[in-house]
Amino acid sequence: MNFGFQKIKKAISSKQSTIKGAAIRLVVTVFLSRILGLVRDRLLAGSFGAGTDLDIYFAAFRIPDLVFNILFAGGVVVSLLPIFAEYQQKNKKESWKIINIMINFFLISFVVFFIIFFAFTPQIISSTISEFSPSAKDATVALSRMLFISVLFFGISSILSTVLNYFNRFVAYSLAPIFYNLGIIFGIVFFVPYFGIYGAGIGVVIGSLAHLLIQLPVAIKCGFKYVPILDFKHPAIKNLFTLMLPRAIAASASQINFIIATAIAAGVGTGAISVFYLSNNLRYVPIGIVGISFATAAFPVLSKFWAEGNKSGFYKSFNSVFVQTLYIALPIGFLIFVLRESIVETILRSGQFGSASIEITAACLGMYFISTFAQCLVPLILRGFFSLKDTITPTIIALVFVIISYILSNVFVFVFQGSNMLVDSVRFIFQIDGAVNLKVLGLAFGFNLALLLEFLLLIYFFYRKVGDFGIKGVFISFIKMFVAGIIMAIGSSFTLYFLSNYFNPIIKKAVYLPDIFYSFSNLCLTSIVAVLIYLLFTVIFHCKEVDFYKDYVLRKLKIRKNEN
């Protein structure tokens, strides 16, 4: 038993030596985290449905998330990592001093924000979700105050993530979200029956503590030791704050955008907030698994190449990770559209989450095929900027994104409240027959267009900043993948149609099975066919990205064979 524990401990603190290996490991652990996130959302949807309680839960996150992003979430890892890396090379003692100064600064800042937030929560909530009833506002205030405790644990954990990123300890880093989701699931299962929606809030606090504790031992093993020290005159700290301020503004802009979306959804009607965030959580699964994993693994290498003045290495690494991410992300966007209803039925259909909620949530999810591939690439582009120590450009784009998103969301909420050619086309494309609230679909449509425009602005200004990183080759690869993705979407649509209208009825006549079996089997079988079609045509089109994944799998199989 002790031997097993030691093996687990060794695996958690293990070091990854290459971008590809680190990215694949991150993909696996992030995949597990996202699966648990889906389990979490299924339990929430089943327990509360797309109604007032779940609206309260999602609305309560907005202000704590904003404060967290103001303090650290948006800037600490990407801004602190290059500075920590620089000092590790020339003065290790000073590098750890910088980490401790940041932790102590955060603790002081948290106390100040907590006092302010606790005192003014009612006014903040009332101003952002004015459409809520008085009782719903009171519940949101109470839950927001509870969730604010999680900011403390996440803040310290984010700083320690810098240490783990530098030393390539990606296993512990990527396990943290798994423990976070396990904490929320624990709260839903054991506390919700007694405390209602507050039970889920307790789970969030437990999960955030677990997020910190899984990383702390590995950080200590890397050399971290807590020291109560403050030194704002330290040159590295001044440099760090200069880098962090723009990024904190950018991250805050993202949260402000979600606050605006929450306010708009609250005006759309009861359950609109739940539908918007449940569909947004579903679309974020591939972004977390693919986009963030590859970007996180690439960031330390990109930073080192640029710091060393090795532009050739920087261009090659960025180009390689960009097309590898695109190769996976592009077909996922098409599959989200084709399998939207099967995805929502499989993951969210339970308890209080009924057919009307499934229909509108599936339509909102389908909208995200517009921006999924782009948003999977955004984390890499952002880290490309941060490798250059440029946080100003992404910040300006983030602020522009908030304005664009606000305008487009309001415009399309207005457009979708009536009957017109666009609305009728959307009804036809997404096969919406029921009397559902289409205004929330207008919100999702406007939000998606804004996400796509954000990507285009980022890639344009990044190209202008660093020069040609092989954009012509990227564009050629994109065209090949896009055509293969279109063919895949057509083939998978016919597969889904066959399963739903011919295969499933035969099974239903032969044996009784719950509805989730059919939605899940449709999802799995159609996905398998889609992957095979996409692989076939990307091979036919000579997409070089196929070779990377083929070589990686063969190499891993060879290693395992040699070990045996």
Side-chain angles (χ1 to χ4, degrees), residues 330-370:
L330 198 58
I332 288 175
F334 286 114
L335 274 180
I336 283 177
F337 174 77
V338 173
L339 295 170
R340 59 191 182 276
E341 194 165 332
S342 296
I343 293 170
V344 174
E345 284 188 348
T346 300
I347 295 170
L348 299 179
R349 180 188 280 277
S350 65
Q352 302 298 315
F353 205 78
S355 299
S357 298
I358 289 173
E359 186 175 23
I360 191 63
T361 305
C364 284
L365 176 61
M367 283 291 185
Y368 283 105
F369 90 94
I370 298 171

Side-chain angles (χ1 to χ4, degrees), residues 41 63 116 131 148-149 193 200 203 226 231 248 255 286 340 348 360 367 372 383-384 391 412 446 448 477 531 544 556:
D41 283 354
I63 304 304
I116 296 172
E131 301 294 332
F148 200 80
I149 299 171
Y226 176 71
D231 183 7
Q255 289 304 316
R340 59 191 182 276
L348 299 179
I360 191 63
M367 283 291 185
T372 296
R383 282 160 178 79
T391 55
F412 285 104
N448 264 277
S477 295
V531 169
K544 61 182 180 180
K556 285 297 179 184

Side-chain angles (χ1 to χ4, degrees), residues 427-440:
R427 278 187 176 275
F428 174 76
I429 292 171
F430 290 96
Q431 300 177 5
I432 301 173
D433 299 320
V436 297
N437 189 342
L438 286 179
K439 289 189 288 184
V440 69

Side-chain angles (χ1 to χ4, degrees), residues 73-82 162 247 299 382-383 386-387 391:
V76 63
V77 176
V78 293
S79 300
L80 181 56
L81 181 55
T162 302
R247 184 53 194 153
F299 183 47
L382 288 175
R383 282 160 178 79
F386 302 146
S387 298
T391 55

